[in-house]
């Protein structure tokens, strides 16, 4: 749900990594069960995880306020959304996002 519906980029006109990550990823709210099962990086620190993929879950939580502040100051999006909003988007745009979506190889640039 965290990548669905966000802009994807062409392999030939790919922007800098920081633009890819800030436009193509979002954080969801903390949830104790999901934090325990999957860690913080996959749910509520997803932006940080994509910017710094080798940081531990605990470090992702620590850098989250710094990353948020930096992106806001640089007028880059720091995207956050709720579970119900993401689910609603998924249901509302299911045909577009899932049925008529191009093959994954087109989206990730694998030929």
């Amino acid at each position: 749900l965290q990548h669905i519906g966000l802009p994807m980029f062409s392999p030939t006109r790919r922007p800098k990594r920081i633009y890819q990550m800030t436009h193509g990823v979002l954080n969801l709210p903390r949830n104790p069960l999901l934090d325990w099962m999957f860690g913080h990086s996959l749910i509520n620190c997803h932006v940080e995880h994509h910017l710094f993929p080798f940081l531990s879950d605990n470090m992702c939580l620590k850098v989250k306020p710094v990353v948020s502040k930096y992106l806001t100051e640089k007028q880059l999006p720091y995207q956050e959304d709720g579970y119900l909003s993401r689910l609603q988007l998924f249901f509302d745009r299911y045909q577009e996002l899932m049925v008529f979506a191009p093959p994954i190889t087109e989206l990730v640039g694998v030929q």
Side-chain angles (χ1 to χ4, degrees):
L1 289 176
Q2 290 173 278
H3 298 278
I4 293 173
L6 296 174
M8 295 303 239
F9 302 103
S10 161
T12 57
R13 293 177 288 131
R14 190 166 298 213
K16 290 182 181 181
R17 181 175 177 82
I18 194 163
Y19 294 104
Q20 289 180 49
M21 297 305 111
T22 58
H23 287 86
V25 182
L26 63 80
N27 290 337
L28 292 170
R30 288 192 74 175
N31 176 302
L33 179 62
L34 295 176
D35 285 352
W36 178 74
M37 288 174 58
F38 303 111
H40 307 296
S41 298
L42 293 178
I43 308 296
N44 67 310
C45 292
H46 207 63
V47 173
E48 293 75 13
H49 165 72
H50 276 270
L51 288 170
F52 310 105
F54 298 109
L55 283 184
S56 69
D57 277 355
N58 288 330
M59 284 305 295
C60 280
L61 278 176
K62 290 179 181 180
V63 301
K64 187 175 179 166
V66 176
V67 170
S68 172
K69 182 179 179 207
Y70 175 83
L71 294 177
T72 304
E73 287 173 356
K74 299 297 180 187
Q75 298 180 336
L76 290 165
Y78 185 76
Q79 300 188 82
E80 298 180 287
D81 204 358
Y83 295 99
L84 292 177
S85 175
R86 287 277 104 187
L87 196 57
Q88 186 67 46
L89 173 81
F90 181 74
F91 285 127
D92 289 347
R93 295 176 54 196
Y94 180 81
Q95 293 286 338
E96 171 192 349
L97 299 172
M98 301 303 289
V99 177
F100 300 118
I104 189 70
T105 53
E106 280 185 38
L107 298 175
V108 297
V110 176
Q111 304 304 328

